[in-house]
Amino acid sequence: MIVIRCPYCGEDRQEDELVFGGEAEIVRPIHPEQVNDEVWTEYLYFRNNPKGVSHEQWCCAAGCGQWFKILRDTVSHDVIDIATYCGSLNAGQAA
Ligand SMILES: [Zn+2]
């Protein structure tokens, strides 16, 4: 069971109280009408699936409802860092 402390409400939430939102910081093309199908398809469908440190977004669904970002090791499930959606994550520093 993954336990993550929400950076907004400060509560420790278990995995089933959160919603996993996938890879964080996917950047939508600024002018989608100007990109080709390959770039648009990459934006819509392709995500990294690392074995190791993963940059993810989660929602505090059972609590405050805010989205936030974490760095998590996908092998050990250790949460390396947590940040608000506008904050920055620091790889390698404990939360
Ligand atoms: Zn919260």
Side-chain angles (χ1 to χ4, degrees):
M1 177 69 69
I2 300 171
V3 177
I4 302 171
R5 176 166 292 173
C6 173
Y8 292 98
C9 65
E11 296 291 325
D12 287 336
R13 301 282 178 199
Q14 294 185 353
E15 187 177 352
D16 59 357
E17 298 177 297
L18 303 164
V19 172
F20 177 66
E23 185 177 350
E25 301 192 9
I26 303 297
V27 178
R28 186 178 196 268
I30 294 173
H31 301 288
E33 70 281 1
Q34 295 176 5
V35 301
N36 62 29
D37 288 347
E38 183 178 339
V39 171
W40 189 245
T41 299
E42 177 80 22
Y43 162 71
L44 289 177
Y45 300 111
F46 290 92
R47 301 293 181 261
N48 292 317
N49 188 20
K51 181 178 181 182
V53 176
S54 177
H55 194 173
E56 303 170 342
Q57 54 188 348
W58 290 75
C59 178
C60 183
C64 65
Q66 294 290 315
W67 285 91
F68 57 92
K69 302 180 291 187
I70 72 169
L71 281 177
R72 182 176 66 89
D73 188 312
T74 60
V75 177
S76 66
H77 298 297
D78 290 340
V79 177
I80 299 164
D81 197 12
I82 304 170
T84 62
Y85 217 85
C86 296
S88 298
L89 293 169
N90 298 305
Q93 294 185 0

